Amino acid sequence: MIIHHGYKNLSLKNPVVTMGIFDGVHRGHRFLLDSLVARARETGGESVAITFDPHPRMVLNKSAKDLFFLSAMDQKRMLLGESGLDHLVIVEFTRNFSRIKACDFVEKILVNEIGTRYLIIGHDHHFGHRAEGDYNTIENCAVSAGFMVEQIEGFRTTEGILSSSMIREALLKGTIDDANRWLGYNYSIKGSVVEGRKIGRRIGYPTANIDPSDKFKLIPGNGVYAVEARIDGSLLKGMLSIGKNPTVNRKAVKKSVEVNIFNFTKDIYGKQIEVIFRHRLRDQKKFSSTDELSQQMEKDKAMALQMM
């Protein structure tokens, strides 16, 4: 996959194009991308996906307080690359860009700059100023612009048509199995290992406190999870706690993300770590003593190992 930053001076062969945010690049996105790649092969053209950076909501929302996403741009590039795409066009999203009218976007960018010959869009795609453009807008422009347009039906699950918002809601509720099934891969977060209060070490379960590297990356709901930890090229089993640790940290204001890596004693302060969520074990709970907490963590470890 060739990555282009901007849409100027591209040289594409009969481009078959789609566009979107692709947050998480989940199974619904890949359903659309599979159609795109197949159509490009059928027509002898090249498959092209257009996405935007930063996320439009980061530019248009007055406050970034409640913004959280499934994937940062580096992970999005990797996941899109696995889809078989020929080209990824990353367009810088600015306030000026957001003011482009839908028809102008079709004529000036999709046709004049990209050279679109065939456009495939999702079932609920909107674009242009105030999201006024939709399938009907494109279809009306397509005849005069000389390209074909196709709308792909949404990817259906038992809970309805799959969307990034469905997956974000599942993660916030802690229903990690649903989220992973809809993503088509196991959700993960990356960060650096920072010093904590070292209470876990004193009760026999040392934890690595994680400072997430992307402040907009969604952290799953409070609870205890079976995870895998990738560090220094190794993939190790463990369990992770998200929350305020009510048993040992009663005055906590900010929730923490702490992983206990099984049978691991190395000093990893300052190192980069990725934790991959496999299953949810239980809710966070306040125990009457650290001894009771230690006994529960022993049970959590046994369950985590059994589930993985």
Side-chain angles (χ1 to χ4, degrees), residues 210-227:
I210 302 172
D211 180 20
S213 54
D214 181 359
K215 67 178 181 179
F216 294 108
K217 177 80 170 180
L218 187 151
I219 304 298
N222 291 357
V224 179
Y225 298 85
V227 300

Side-chain angles (χ1 to χ4, degrees), residues 37 39 56 83 91 99 106 117 140 193 196 198 210 218 243 282 300:
V37 171
R39 187 71 69 229
S83 70
V91 177
R99 297 186 182 102
V106 172
R117 292 292 177 267
N140 291 335
V193 178
K198 300 183 174 64
I210 302 172
L218 187 151
R282 61 175 174 86
D300 293 339

Side-chain angles (χ1 to χ4, degrees), residues 50-110:
I50 302 171
T51 194
F52 307 94
D53 187 41
H55 193 292
R57 288 176 59 199
M58 294 175 66
V59 175
L60 301 177
N61 282 34
K62 293 182 179 179
S63 172
K65 179 182 177 182
D66 298 320
L67 294 183
F68 42 79
F69 307 111
L70 302 174
S71 56
M73 183 52 72
D74 60 344
Q75 185 186 23
K76 193 182 296 186
R77 284 196 297 263
M78 179 193 72
L79 292 167
L80 288 169
E82 293 172 354
S83 70
L85 275 174
D86 294 314
H87 300 270
L88 174 63
V89 179
I90 302 174
V91 177
E92 181 183 9
F93 194 90
T94 64
R95 285 196 174 274
N96 283 338
F97 184 85
S98 74
R99 297 186 182 102
I100 298 176
K101 298 287 187 180
C103 283
D104 288 341
F105 179 85
V106 172
E107 179 183 347
K108 296 178 180 179
I109 296 177
L110 289 183

Side-chain angles (χ1 to χ4, degrees), residues 94-156:
T94 64
R95 285 196 174 274
N96 283 338
F97 184 85
S98 74
R99 297 186 182 102
I100 298 176
K101 298 287 187 180
C103 283
D104 288 341
F105 179 85
V106 172
E107 179 183 347
K108 296 178 180 179
I109 296 177
L110 289 183
V111 177
N112 294 346
E113 297 288 354
I114 305 292
T116 301
R117 292 292 177 267
Y118 200 107
L119 181 68
I120 296 179
I121 63 172
H123 74 286
D124 61 347
H125 185 78
H126 288 77
F127 67 100
H129 184 55
R130 300 184 187 279
E132 62 188 10
D134 57 13
Y135 175 75
N136 292 329
T137 306
I138 295 176
E139 192 174 39
N140 291 335
C141 298
V143 175
S144 59
F147 67 88
M148 299 289 291
V149 59
E150 177 183 357
Q151 188 172 38
I152 299 295
E153 291 186 2
F155 182 85
R156 292 191 175 275

Side-chain angles (χ1 to χ4, degrees), residues 159-172:
E159 293 79 3
I161 293 178
L162 182 58
S163 66
S164 297
S165 60
M166 271 178 63
I167 299 172
R168 288 192 289 266
E169 289 171 10
L171 288 170
L172 289 173

